[in-house]
Amino acid sequence: MSGATRITIVAAAAVFLSALPLTAVTSTEDWLLPAMVAIGLVAGTGWLLRQRRIPRPVIILGQLIVLVLWCGVQVAADVARIGFIPTIEWAQRIVLVVGEGIEAVTTYASPAPVGRGILLLLVAGIGLVAIATDALATTYNRPTLTAATLAANYIAVVIILGGDLEWVWFVLPAAGYLMLLGAEGRVRVSQWGRSATPSSRHRGVPETSSLARSGRQAGAIALLSAVLIPALLPALSEGLVEGGLLGGAGGSGRTIRVDNPIVDLQRNLNQDADVTVLRYETDSERREYIRAVTLDVFDGERWDPSQRDVPTSQRVGEGVVLPDPPGLAEDEYELDGYRFEITENYAWLSLPLVYPARTIDVEGDFRYAADTLDVHHADGDPRGTEYTQQAIIINHAPETLLDAGSPGPEFESLTELPEGVADSLEPYLDEAIGDLTNKFRQASALQAWFRTEGGFDYDIQVPDSGTSEGELVNFLEVRVGFCQQYATAMAAMARALDIPARVAVGFTPGEQIRDNEWVVRGEDAHAWPELYFEGAGWVRFEPTPAGRTGVAPEWTQLPRDDEAPVPDPVDLPGAQFPEDVEFPTGLDAGGGAIDSSDGLPDYALPIAGGVLGLAVVVSLPWGLARLRRELRWRRAADDPIAEAEAAWVDLREGAADCGLGWAPSSTPRAVSRQLAADAGLYADARTLLERITLSTERARYAPTTDRQPGLKDDAAELRRELLAVAPRLRRIKAFLWPAGTEGLLAAAGTQIGDLLEGIEAANNRLRERMAGLLPARR
């Protein structure tokens, strides 16, 4: 096999490895086969054209033509009729499908379904990476520059998922890049000529094993370092490989990826009407909305969830009590119990819950955001999850809402609107609230204006369903829309009145199919506004007309007359629970009180975790060296020769830690004298050194030798004596990076190199055998 052919094949394999991270953002892997074909066509075309000495720009052009033809085959509804020659009809179809793919990318949250549009984008994108990689590696002979092309897919996935990737998705493209560099280096070295070593007898295989072994060792160590260091150091947990090998966040937390379900809410309502996304059981007689995500950032174009650092201390599970809901002034709570099951049709990343949650019993790495109590999966896929929840029963008293004080400064950002938005909303606010000044009466009037008084109609088929300023004003003018527009419009208008507001996305209660069992379907997807009032916390409003949502929450319905009497609080039934719902210690299953007093400060656990993590990292090298010594003595197993050698190795590592000279070619006696003089050993220490030296001499030179009891303790004591007379900086270095750890890593690198060299040797033997089966060339 020629060098150019070898590099072409390895480059194609590297491109395939670099494409595998894209499986993290797609719901299926069906696109891998057409992508592999695209890579093969690009590599084969380049190889054929290079064999015929075609100019390099023409080679790239030929590869592009082949890729376009293959992309056309992927989207052609009738290949036999259209043919394989690009036509105007074919080009129009490709442009149409590309548009479908771009729309799908901006619509679906990952993992996205692979329709023909996304399939075309994947195949075309991977094909372009293959062309660029083949051109750099072979056509222009610049393989080192392929790092950029091979990293393109990984970077794209990092951008989509926000860095929340398993370590394997980094290792695959990095391994492909190292393979390509190794292949190019081997080909380059083979051009120097043939070595006179025995391995040069391999047919057509130049002697490059020594260099190949060194390259493999360096590559393996580089990859291991890139993966292990971020995994072991909490400070680097937000680095190249998010979460590291251990799957956890650092001591201070990590950013959990949160999707925005509002972007595809209209599509879900139109297309997924009969699809079951959620099942739940409850004995509660309350019909509560089920919230998935809170959107609290409005940039003038759309509402989005804020990205939050969620530390492992905010992980939910059995025995974990969530903090009090923000702003709620009550000290005791009654609880409702729910048992949920998420189906495979659920398309969002957050855990659907009744707000506000008090406890959640769920398996897996689920964490809550302290300001919203939203719960997200650290790996981003809650489908198939079963869990139980206790939800706090809140009966908002109108007196509390009417008398609510001003919110604290931490809520200022939740009253902000982009410049100009408040001015565009002013005429509609005048119509909706008139001269009302009380914040809660203003909110109640806004809700009534949307539901009954403003002449709004509900229609899911409206063409402009976004949440930007222009679409918001258009909705208020046309007054036809669906829940997404009602919720975002009321939230924006509330902010214009200096009322903290956000948008919640989730589901209405769904359909009751048995006494205690409910199902939630795609058509139950819903959005509603939540407004903040001091003492009551976040209060759900319902501006969407009754034809869609039924009666609005009773506490939000107040008369427009300020002098009208305030209705009594709603008397709702107490909480009831399924028989087999278990509750953490300290919670009253019958709806008893919970002590809401504060525990440790919020920063206590992160600081403790950081200190513990730092202690583990600092002591890890010392622990590895200690483990290596223990394994060395365990392998000795009362063998006098092995024990003597183990003691001698302990002595050698101790001398290295103290910076003392050690001549490997000298006899044990000569090394002992030099060591005693350099360290200034006296009395007992010299006796220990003499005992270890004599045991080593007998083990190496005497015909037979007896076991010396206590040799391990002698070696440990002598090591301590050496460290005691060493300078302080040497003692610190001996703890932070002992010679035993350095030897362990060197041994591990050697074993990895031996393993890779064995694979290479097996490959060479296989090629020899295959060559022997082929007829000899004349």
Side-chain angles (χ1 to χ4, degrees):
M1 181 186 299
S2 67
T5 303
R6 177 190 295 272
I7 295 177
T8 300
I9 294 175
V10 175
V15 172
F16 176 72
L17 291 177
S18 74
L20 291 178
L22 292 171
T23 59
V25 295
T26 56
S27 59
T28 64
E29 289 77 38
D30 297 342
W31 55 270
L32 280 175
L33 181 58
M36 289 176 60
V37 174
I39 295 171
L41 290 174
V42 167
T45 302
W47 182 81
L48 287 173
L49 295 179
R50 281 189 292 268
Q51 295 298 310
R52 286 159 178 76
R53 308 293 184 182
I54 302 297
R56 291 183 292 191
V58 179
I59 295 174
I60 298 175
L61 179 61
Q63 291 173 316
L64 282 171
I65 293 174
V66 170
L67 178 61
V68 171
L69 289 172
W70 178 240
C71 290
V73 171
Q74 300 305 305
V75 301
D78 187 356
V79 176
R81 178 175 62 84
I82 296 178
F84 290 93
I85 299 177
T87 62
I88 294 178
E89 183 181 3
W90 203 343
Q92 290 174 342
R93 179 164 295 172
I94 290 179
V95 172
L96 174 64
V97 178
V98 168
E100 292 178 3
I102 295 175
E103 182 180 0
V105 168
T106 58
T107 300
Y108 290 103
S110 61
V114 183
R116 67 173 188 172
I118 293 182
L119 173 64
L120 179 61
L121 293 181
L122 287 170
V123 173
I126 293 171
L128 291 175
V129 170
I131 292 174
T133 303
D134 185 80
L136 291 172
T138 308
T139 304
Y140 288 92
N141 196 25
R142 294 291 186 271
T144 54
L145 301 181
T146 59
T149 61
L150 294 176
N153 294 323
Y154 176 80
I155 293 173
V157 175
V158 169
I159 292 173
I160 294 172
L161 299 184
D164 190 12
L165 279 178
E166 298 290 339
W167 60 272
V168 68
W169 300 129
F170 164 74
V171 170
L172 289 173
Y177 179 62
L178 293 176
M179 285 168 44
L180 184 55
L181 293 182
E184 188 274 339
R186 179 169 182 172
V187 169
R188 178 159 27 88
V189 172
S190 68
Q191 296 172 353
W192 298 350
R194 187 173 303 280
S195 172
T197 60
S199 61
S200 64
R201 295 194 299 269
H202 296 304
R203 296 176 184 172
V205 181
E207 172 55 46
T208 59
S209 59
S210 298
L211 290 174
R213 177 178 178 179
S214 299
R216 285 191 296 267
Q217 289 182 0
I221 291 173
L223 277 181
L224 287 174
S225 300
V227 173
L228 289 175
I229 291 176
L232 296 175
L233 295 180
L236 299 182
S237 63
E238 298 293 338
L240 184 63
V241 184
E242 171 65 34
L245 282 175
L246 303 180
S252 61
R254 60 183 288 189
T255 299
I256 298 293
R257 182 168 57 96
V258 183
D259 65 343
N260 188 350
I262 204 169
V263 300
D264 57 357
L265 186 59
Q266 185 179 27
R267 178 184 58 80
N268 289 342
L269 291 171
N270 278 320
Q271 299 179 4
D272 301 337
D274 297 328
V275 175
T276 298
V277 297
L278 185 67
R279 300 183 183 92
Y280 68 95
E281 299 176 11
T282 182
D283 282 345
S284 174
E285 296 183 9
R286 301 163 59 88
R287 300 295 170 253
E288 294 290 350
Y289 284 6
I290 302 169
R291 195 181 71 176
V293 176
T294 304
L295 314 179
D296 50 9
V297 177
F298 181 50
D299 61 2
E301 292 297 323
R302 73 176 193 179
W303 290 79
D304 281 301
S306 56
Q307 299 300 317
R308 307 172 180 91
D309 288 337
V310 184
T312 54
S313 60
Q314 293 176 200
R315 183 177 293 157
V316 301
E318 184 177 1
V320 176
V321 178
L322 274 66
D324 295 340
L328 190 61
E330 298 180 22
D331 295 327
E332 297 184 356
Y333 309 121
E334 293 184 341
L335 305 171
D336 271 342
Y338 297 84
R339 176 180 290 104
F340 290 96
E341 176 188 352
I342 301 176
T343 73
E344 293 298 322
N345 300 315
Y346 185 76
W348 301 339
L349 304 179
S350 304
L351 209 62
L353 297 162
V354 174
Y355 179 85
R358 193 55 170 165
T359 66
I360 303 166
D361 188 357
V362 61
E363 295 183 0
D365 191 2
F366 289 89
R367 308 180 192 178
Y368 68 88
D371 52 347
T372 64
L373 300 186
D374 289 350
V375 175
H376 312 284
H377 197 296
D379 296 327
D381 188 3
R383 291 177 296 180
T385 302
E386 298 182 13
Y387 54 99
T388 59
Q389 174 203 356
Q390 290 176 292
I392 295 174
I393 300 175
I394 297 179
N395 300 324
H396 295 297
E399 295 93 338
T400 302
L401 298 170
L402 285 168
D403 297 337
S406 300
E410 66 271 20
F411 293 95
E412 289 183 2
S413 62
L414 298 170
T415 62
E416 295 176 353
L417 289 172
E419 185 177 358
V421 174
D423 294 338
S424 63
L425 296 177
E426 186 173 353
Y428 305 103
L429 287 170
D430 291 339
E431 178 185 346
I433 66 172
D435 57 356
L436 295 175
T437 57
N438 181 273
K439 296 299 183 184
F440 183 67
R441 290 196 178 276
Q442 290 176 337
S444 178
L446 271 179
Q447 176 179 269
W449 184 66
F450 280 112
R451 290 178 63 87
T452 57
E453 300 176 7
F456 286 82
D457 293 322
Y458 183 87
D459 188 352
I460 190 61
Q461 302 297 337
V462 291
D464 298 325
S465 59
T467 61
S468 67
E469 177 185 356
E471 291 162 329
L472 173 61
V473 173
N474 181 69
F475 165 67
L476 296 176
E477 187 66 30
V478 178
R479 307 198 178 186
V480 177
F482 64 104
C483 60
Q484 168 182 321
Q485 295 161 298
Y486 285 96
T488 56
M490 181 170 175
M493 295 176 78
R495 287 193 173 190
L497 296 170
D498 289 330
I499 302 175
R502 62 193 189 186
V503 176
V505 182
F507 304 93
T508 54
E511 178 187 359
Q512 187 173 11
I513 58 174
R514 294 184 185 87
D515 288 344
N516 301 324
E517 298 180 21
W518 295 70
V519 295
V520 178
R521 300 182 175 89
E523 63 183 356
D524 298 317
H526 190 52
W528 61 93
E530 293 180 343
L531 277 57
Y532 181 84
F533 294 92
E534 192 68 28
W538 289 100
V539 180
R540 174 172 66 88
F541 284 76
E542 185 49 88
T544 303
R548 162 68 177 164
T549 60
V551 180
E554 187 167 351
W555 58 76
T556 65
Q557 303 177 57
L558 295 178
R560 296 290 295 270
D561 185 2
D562 281 285
E563 302 302 324
V566 176
D568 293 332
V570 181
D571 184 15
L572 293 177
Q576 294 178 327
F577 301 93
E579 294 180 358
D580 51 349
V581 174
E582 297 180 358
F583 300 95
T585 303
L587 298 180
D588 184 359
I594 297 177
D595 184 6
S596 61
S597 59
D598 292 336
L600 292 174
D602 293 340
Y603 55 82
L605 286 179
I607 291 178
V611 172
L612 179 61
L614 181 61
V616 170
V617 171
V618 170
S619 61
L620 183 61
W622 176 87
L624 290 175
R626 179 66 180 268
L627 177 62
R628 191 184 187 208
R629 287 198 299 272
E630 291 298 329
L631 292 176
R632 182 188 303 139
W633 282 99
R634 181 171 297 182
R635 285 194 297 267
D638 296 332
D639 181 351
I641 296 177
E643 283 190 347
E645 291 295 337
W648 191 250
V649 173
D650 282 2
L651 180 60
R652 184 176 68 231
E653 291 179 351
D657 286 338
C658 297
L660 300 174
W662 187 282
S665 59
S666 299
T667 64
R669 181 66 52 182
V671 170
S672 175
R673 284 196 295 267
Q674 185 65 42
L675 188 61
D678 291 344
L681 298 179
Y682 296 97
D684 294 342
R686 279 186 175 270
T687 301
L688 293 173
L689 178 59
E690 179 67 23
R691 175 176 163 81
I692 293 174
T693 303
L694 183 59
S695 298
T696 304
E697 289 176 334
R698 288 174 177 173
R700 292 183 179 181
Y701 308 127
T704 60
T705 182
D706 296 328
R707 180 174 178 271
Q708 301 293 324
L711 205 55
K712 178 182 178 182
D713 295 336
D714 292 346
E717 179 63 27
L718 182 56
R719 175 184 173 84
R720 287 191 289 269
E721 292 287 345
L722 291 174
L723 287 173
V725 298
R728 179 178 299 176
L729 290 179
R730 271 289 172 184
R731 294 198 299 270
I732 295 175
K733 180 181 180 298
F735 176 78
L736 295 177
W737 192 252
T741 300
E742 191 171 341
L744 178 64
L745 294 179
T750 300
Q751 291 179 357
I752 293 174
D754 291 341
L755 176 62
L756 295 176
E757 188 174 5
I759 296 174
E760 181 71 17
N763 180 48
N764 289 338
R765 290 195 297 269
L766 178 61
R767 284 175 20 208
E768 279 190 336
R769 292 178 182 177
M770 294 299 296
L773 296 177
L774 298 176
R777 295 183 180 179
R778 293 187 177 180

